[in-house]
Amino acid sequence: MKFSIRKNKKWMLIFCSLILFFLGYYFEGLEPVVKGPTKEFRVVEVKKGESAWAIAQKLKNHGIIKSSVVFYLEALRKGYYHKLKPGEYGFYLNQSLSEILTMLVEGKVLAKKITIPEGYTLWQIADLLEKNEICRKEDFLKLAESPQTAKQYGLPGPTLEGYLFPDTYYFYRNSHPGQVIKTMVDNFWKHWKKYEEIAKKQKKSLKEIIILASIVEKEAYLDSEKPVIAAVYLNRIKKKMPLQADPTINYALKSFRRLTYKDYYQVKSPYNTYLNPGLPPTPIGNPGEASIKAVLFPAKVPYLYFVAAGNGSHVFSVTYKEHLEAINKIRETPKNPASNQTSENLVYKTPSDKPSTEPKSDTKL
């Protein structure tokens, strides 16, 4: 009998020790990997269909949690077993297991930072979004090029070209393209509100302003020159001269390569401003605020011509004769090693000095 009591006490002691050990292990597993402030950050992707146990092991292998067993048991205890959402997550190593579970249940996936450069076209934006795994290129373009989408957002259309505001955004991986578009168009309207009344007073339509701003965006390298370049095009419109803007042909070709002489007259497109008077039918990219502002507040200059100087700036001229002299002078200038532009890779515009004899444009600008 004494032996039995001793034996039971022994097993009881072992049992209690195991319970205490397990409780210690369990509570320790609830704690963050790193205690106190830390900037250490880990990214992990939870795939669709992965079980709670598979997720627990993945988090443990990435050093985000202390115990996969404790994570799994907590998911069971809280009823989160089938509620862990897929996606790309970012966790700090000082987050508790409870915080990590909450993020997974609420689907607080990691937002990716993406910058849309000024002047990017719809297809360039689509490529960038797909490259960053925000959404599929085809899905984005299907909506962005739809007249219905333009109508939905109150835009003059027929596509969203010109109205997706270039900026830095935070999007989730595998976002719905409609949400991406809404964010960018809303941002456009937010910035446009600052200039809406000014445009009305100048009797300039939204579409005309954005079209010209998109051309200025593609032509200007320096923000300081944008009002001058805008003035050149506005002056040419007033004189019924063709714009002869190279980027409009590039847009028609869907390639911003160096143009050849044949391109100017063989690219049969309404976007070819060498063959067609006035503005092209739509913007040729998505302009930034500085280019929009330049169209509304152009420089008060008499220039009708400009040519790239090879260092990012341009030389502006009033007459065709001055323009040719500027071209010849630039051609004779030695290459600047600090610049990527040289006289060899410039396209020189040589438009007629006389007003265009082609049909007059309906452009109001």
Side-chain angles (χ1 to χ4, degrees):
M1 187 70 177
K2 289 181 180 180
F3 175 77
S4 179
I5 292 172
R6 286 178 183 174
K7 187 176 181 181
N8 287 340
K9 283 183 179 181
K10 181 181 177 182
W11 284 111
M12 185 66 71
L13 183 62
I14 293 172
F15 181 71
C16 289
S17 297
L18 288 172
I19 290 177
L20 290 173
F21 175 80
F22 177 76
L23 289 173
Y25 172 81
Y26 197 91
F27 285 114
E28 178 65 21
L30 296 174
E31 296 295 317
V33 173
V34 176
K35 293 183 180 180
T38 180
K39 292 183 179 179
E40 201 167 351
F41 192 78
R42 302 279 170 83
V43 176
V44 64
E45 182 183 4
V46 175
K47 295 181 179 178
K48 189 175 182 180
E50 279 191 312
S51 66
W53 177 244
I55 295 170
Q57 289 181 309
K58 184 175 287 187
L59 293 174
K60 179 66 171 63
N61 292 336
H62 280 77
I64 296 167
I65 59 175
K66 289 185 174 182
S67 169
S68 53
V69 174
V70 175
F71 178 93
Y72 182 75
L73 292 175
E74 276 293 288
L76 287 174
R77 187 181 72 82
K78 293 185 174 184
Y80 293 164
Y81 184 77
H82 294 298
K83 297 179 180 179
L84 306 181
K85 294 181 174 62
E88 190 176 48
Y89 293 84
F91 300 105
Y92 285 102
L93 298 191
N94 61 351
Q95 287 184 279
S96 68
L97 189 143
S98 178
E99 290 174 327
I100 292 169
L101 271 171
T102 299
M103 286 179 66
L104 289 165
V105 171
E106 294 180 356
K108 292 184 177 180
V109 294
L110 184 67
K112 298 191 75 169
K113 181 180 179 181
I114 180 171
T115 298
I116 308 298
E118 295 175 340
Y120 257 37
T121 63
L122 289 183
W123 69 82
Q124 288 175 318
I125 293 174
D127 284 336
L128 191 60
L129 291 171
E130 184 169 87
K131 182 180 177 181
N132 284 271
E133 300 180 310
I134 304 301
C135 60
R136 292 177 67 247
K137 176 181 177 179
E138 293 79 5
D139 296 337
F140 175 84
L141 288 176
K142 185 177 180 180
L143 287 177
E145 293 178 338
S146 166
Q148 285 299 113
T149 307
K151 185 178 179 181
Q152 176 186 341
Y153 288 107
L155 297 169
T159 72
L160 299 188
E161 190 75 273
Y163 309 101
L164 300 179
F165 198 78
D167 206 342
T168 296
Y169 296 92
Y170 290 87
F171 293 125
Y172 299 126
R173 281 187 65 192
N174 302 315
S175 293
H176 191 285
Q179 184 58 50
V180 174
I181 285 170
K182 182 180 185 305
T183 301
M184 297 177 74
V185 173
D186 286 349
N187 196 19
F188 169 82
W189 283 124
K190 183 183 75 174
H191 284 82
W192 174 249
K193 283 181 181 178
K194 293 181 281 186
Y195 306 105
E196 191 171 14
E197 290 303 316
I198 297 168
K200 286 180 181 178
K201 288 179 182 178
Q202 295 183 8
K203 296 182 179 179
K204 294 176 180 177
S205 72
L206 169 64
K207 186 173 183 178
E208 289 169 333
I209 290 169
I210 300 304
I211 290 175
L212 186 52
S214 70
I215 296 173
V216 171
E217 190 68 71
K218 288 293 188 184
E219 290 280 21
Y221 179 77
L222 303 173
D223 280 352
S224 60
E225 286 192 348
K226 287 180 178 180
V228 185
I229 290 176
V232 170
Y233 286 124
L234 288 166
N235 290 342
R236 293 180 72 84
I237 288 172
K238 287 176 184 176
K239 289 181 175 290
K240 311 302 180 192
M241 297 173 70
L243 294 186
Q244 297 189 323
D246 292 1
T248 62
I249 300 177
N250 289 123
Y251 186 79
L253 294 169
K254 282 199 171 184
S255 172
F256 290 94
R257 61 166 172 79
R258 179 188 177 186
L259 297 177
T260 65
Y261 181 79
K262 289 183 179 180
D263 291 328
Y264 296 120
Y265 302 102
Q266 290 187 355
V267 175
K268 306 298 181 182
S269 166
Y271 288 94
N272 187 338
T273 53
Y274 279 76
L275 299 179
N276 300 284
L279 296 169
T282 72
I284 61 168
N286 294 272
E289 188 168 6
S291 295
I292 295 172
K293 193 174 179 180
V295 175
L296 290 167
F297 303 100
K300 295 180 180 179
V301 293
Y303 302 132
L304 292 171
Y305 308 91
F306 63 87
V307 60
N311 59 359
S313 65
H314 294 81
V315 176
F316 298 90
S317 305
V318 177
T319 67
Y320 185 50
K321 181 181 177 182
E322 291 174 352
H323 181 57
L324 290 178
E325 289 173 354
I327 290 174
N328 291 329
K329 187 175 180 180
I330 291 170
R331 281 177 173 164
E332 293 168 2
T333 303
K335 178 181 176 181
N336 180 1
S339 173
N340 290 326
Q341 289 183 298
T342 68
S343 59
E344 286 77 18
N345 61 20
L346 295 174
V347 174
Y348 300 103
K349 301 179 186 177
T350 54
S352 171
D353 194 31
K354 298 179 181 179
S356 172
T357 56
E358 296 181 18
K360 293 182 180 181
S361 168
D362 293 329
T363 304
K364 300 175 186 177
L365 284 170

